[in-house]
């Protein structure tokens, strides 16, 4: 059976309450042998680390302040985050910019992003980026921080090939591809066709963005093979090759 890594899943979310063992077990049976949990803010962090502690070598944690959680007190949130640094985190994330729901905090989001880029460089860790309706500002911040030698991935990537090419100027960037790739009206397949497989990571963003034909159901990591099969179809290769290359990509980026 091919082995996969889900590089972005929120198994500690309330949507899975009481069923965490069930969905993690189902994911392992599907060949998804490692899963990475993105951090959001202080409200859910302890639940995330507790769940990961129950599955050593299977679940891994990131540490970061989600852009939708950035407010005037964002530095206080960063201070609450710092003591978790020694718990074996594999990335700073999910961090980034989101102007879709939080346009009024755009200046604060950029400040928090710059600060967390500096933390990632100091800690020698990759970053996991949440980006929505803020591409131009994100690239501006990347340009300002190009001296940091950043590496990471754009989670839930749905941008253009031109955006993919542009960010490569300011670091070593991969893209996280999930359920959106399978949506009927998605334009992502033509972009993924152009992006080298060596720059692609698999993810679900569960419980969100469930791939077709399962849309409407709660997403979980067991659907990773569905996404891999779609990539294989787009690129005209076997799913085993998709599994092998994307798994190696995740292992190298996150050190797992």
């Amino acid at each position: 059976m091919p082995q996969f890594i889900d590089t972005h899943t929120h198994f500690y979310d309330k949507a899975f309450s009481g069923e965490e063992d069930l969905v993690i077990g189902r994911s392992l049976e599907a060949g998804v042998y490692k899963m990475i949990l993105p951090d959001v803010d202080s409200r859910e962090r302890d639940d995330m680390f507790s769940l990961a502690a129950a599955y050593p070598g299977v679940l891994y944690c990131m540490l970061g302040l989600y852009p939708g959680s950035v407010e005037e007190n964002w530095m206080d949130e960063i201070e609450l985050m710092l003591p978790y640094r020694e718990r074996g985190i594999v990335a700073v994330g999910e961090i980034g910019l989101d102007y879709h729901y939080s346009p009024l905090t755009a200046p604060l989001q950029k400040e928090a992003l710059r600060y967390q880029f500096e933390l990632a460089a100091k800690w020698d860790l990759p970053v996991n980026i949440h980006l929505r309706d803020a591409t131009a500002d994100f690239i501006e911040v990347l340009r300002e921080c190009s001296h940091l030698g950043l590496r990471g991935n754009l989670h839930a990537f749905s941008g253009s090939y031109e955006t993919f090419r542009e960010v490569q100027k300011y670091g070593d960037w991969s893209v996280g591809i999930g359920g959106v790739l399978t949506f009927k009206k998605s334009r992502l397949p033509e972009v993924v066709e152009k992006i080298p497989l060596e720059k692609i990571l698999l993810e679900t963003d569960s419980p969100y963005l469930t791939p077709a034909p399962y849309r409407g159901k709660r997403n979980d990591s067991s659907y990773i093979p569905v996404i891999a099969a779609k990539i294989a179809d787009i690129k005209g290769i076997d799913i085993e090759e998709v599994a092998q290359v994307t798994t190696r990509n995740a292992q190298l980026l996150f050190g797992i």
Side-chain angles (χ1 to χ4, degrees):
M1 175 188 291
Q3 288 194 311
F4 304 95
I5 295 177
D6 186 348
T7 60
H8 200 108
T9 177
H10 298 263
F11 271 147
Y12 56 88
D13 189 275
K14 287 184 289 187
F16 296 108
S17 182
E19 297 184 85
E20 295 91 347
D21 293 338
L22 174 66
V23 293
I24 292 170
R26 184 164 63 226
S27 301
L28 290 169
E29 290 174 4
V32 185
Y33 79 114
K34 292 180 185 290
M35 294 151 260
I36 304 178
L37 309 176
D39 191 19
V40 175
D41 58 37
S42 59
R43 291 171 294 183
E44 298 177 309
R45 190 168 294 132
D46 283 336
D47 290 339
M48 178 183 71
F49 276 98
S50 294
L51 183 61
Y55 287 90
V58 175
L59 299 184
Y60 298 83
C61 292
M62 303 184 203
L63 187 65
L65 182 61
Y66 174 72
S69 298
V70 172
E71 298 177 352
E72 292 287 345
N73 69 334
W74 67 267
M75 185 55 80
D76 293 336
E77 275 286 334
I78 295 290
E79 292 295 328
L80 291 173
M81 178 181 99
L82 295 178
Y84 294 82
R85 164 69 183 95
E86 303 304 322
R87 296 201 188 184
I89 62 170
V90 299
V92 175
E94 62 183 290
I95 63 176
L97 301 175
D98 189 329
Y99 296 173
H100 185 78
Y101 292 115
S102 309
L104 297 180
T105 60
L108 297 175
Q109 288 185 48
K110 288 196 285 185
E111 288 179 27
L113 179 58
R114 291 187 192 96
Y115 190 89
Q116 291 181 97
F117 275 165
E118 291 171 359
L119 282 180
K122 177 181 177 181
W123 295 343
D124 191 23
L125 287 173
V127 294
N128 178 267
I129 298 297
H130 172 105
L131 180 60
R132 190 172 187 186
D133 295 346
T135 300
D137 277 6
F138 176 70
I139 291 174
E140 175 191 328
V141 175
L142 266 190
R143 188 181 299 115
E144 294 170 358
C145 297
S146 60
H147 63 286
L148 296 175
L150 297 169
R151 66 190 191 278
N153 76 299
L154 305 181
H155 133 70
F157 185 72
S158 59
S160 66
Y161 182 64
E162 289 71 27
T163 295
F164 168 77
R165 291 285 302 275
E166 182 69 16
V167 298
Q168 302 306 322
K169 299 176 183 178
Y170 309 110
D172 185 6
W173 295 95
S174 299
V175 295
I177 301 299
V180 173
L181 182 69
T182 69
F183 294 178
K184 187 175 182 180
K185 296 183 178 180
S186 175
R187 301 177 67 178
L188 194 53
E190 57 195 66
V191 178
V192 166
E193 185 178 12
K194 299 176 183 178
I195 295 176
L197 189 59
E198 289 74 17
K199 289 292 187 179
I200 292 176
L201 303 171
L202 303 181
E203 65 164 72
T204 56
D205 198 19
S206 64
Y208 315 105
L209 301 177
T210 310
Y214 305 102
R215 292 189 72 181
K217 296 183 178 181
R218 181 186 64 189
N219 199 7
D220 66 57
S221 297
S222 69
Y223 292 128
I224 280 285
V226 176
I227 300 161
K230 182 66 174 180
I231 293 174
D233 180 63
I234 290 168
K235 291 191 171 292
I237 58 178
D238 294 331
I239 191 172
E240 288 79 8
E241 183 176 352
V242 174
Q244 181 181 22
V245 175
T246 59
T247 294
R248 184 172 66 245
N249 296 344
Q251 290 169 333
L252 291 173
L253 180 61
F254 296 108
I256 59 176

